[in-house]
Amino acid sequence: MDVNAVIVMLVVCAYGLWLAVAVFNNISDFQTNRALIARMVSMDDIKSDPVMGNNLQWRAMDGRRWSLFIFLPVVFYQVLTVAQFAVAGASVVVDLWTTGSISHSLVTQINIAFLLALMLWFTFLIGGLWFGYWIKMPQVQSAHLMLAMLTLFCITLVNILLPAT
């Protein structure tokens, strides 16, 4: 069995499992996530600061009203991304079990899963940037940046270990 393929299997399955737990947490702790989105889009923390973010405040939205409309599509997209990881992860296990390697078409499927995740993190970063979350919620921006970097690392690792033939 190819060691590189086993490493890729572990990375795909671990990332997919981590994301599945994150989605489960988002669904089961719905109100916390909705409150965080409401806090970001309402920009109340920025509005209460007499100096920082004054010229961004026109972007604020009714957080209570809009948080649900923002959060539901995010969870739906996350579920689709987890499904892609589940299919890719299961396919990797089957390929390794039956052939000892990972097919090129499966590498494409893996890349799609990671690109879906990367698009999610960049959407969070762009949306957060629009609402100035780096000013009063820097820990959230840091988490999104780290997730984007981790995902880029995973894409790079997969494509170095399993180059197109």
Side-chain angles (χ1 to χ4, degrees), residues 54-73:
N54 289 330
N55 292 327
L56 301 179
Q57 294 176 14
W58 65 271
R59 299 174 183 176
M61 298 167 57
D62 180 353
R64 197 160 160 79
R65 178 178 298 153
W66 283 98
S67 61
L68 185 63
F69 293 110
I70 294 169
F71 187 57
L72 288 178

Side-chain angles (χ1 to χ4, degrees), residues 7-146:
I7 293 169
V8 169
M9 177 194 69
L10 292 173
V11 168
V12 171
C13 291
Y15 192 104
L17 181 60
W18 173 85
L19 190 57
V21 171
V23 172
F24 177 75
N25 289 346
N26 285 344
I27 293 168
S28 62
D29 194 12
F30 189 80
Q31 292 305 320
T32 297
N33 291 292
R34 189 171 175 195
L36 287 171
I37 292 171
R39 178 179 164 204
M40 180 187 68
V41 300
S42 69
M43 301 176 76
D44 287 339
D45 294 344
I46 292 174
K47 289 176 186 175
S48 66
D49 190 312
V51 177
M52 300 187 68
N54 289 330
N55 292 327
L56 301 179
Q57 294 176 14
W58 65 271
R59 299 174 183 176
M61 298 167 57
D62 180 353
R64 197 160 160 79
R65 178 178 298 153
W66 283 98
S67 61
L68 185 63
F69 293 110
I70 294 169
F71 187 57
L72 288 178
V74 166
V75 170
F76 180 74
Y77 184 85
Q78 288 176 327
V79 168
L80 291 178
T81 304
V82 166
Q84 179 65 31
F85 270 101
V87 169
S91 299
V92 167
V93 170
V94 168
D95 258 18
L96 279 177
W97 186 263
T98 58
T99 68
S101 64
I102 298 175
S103 68
H104 179 69
S105 63
L106 186 50
V107 173
T108 301
Q109 195 174 14
I110 293 167
N111 281 326
I112 289 169
F114 280 116
L115 288 173
L116 288 171
L118 189 62
M119 288 184 341
L120 179 69
W121 310 137
F122 277 119
T123 300
F124 287 178
L125 285 164
I126 293 165
L129 190 64
W130 179 257
F131 291 106
Y133 79 160
W134 80 92
I135 297 171
K136 296 292 182 175
M137 299 173 79
Q139 70 283 7
V140 178
Q141 182 185 34
S142 294
H144 294 157
L145 283 169
M146 291 302 288

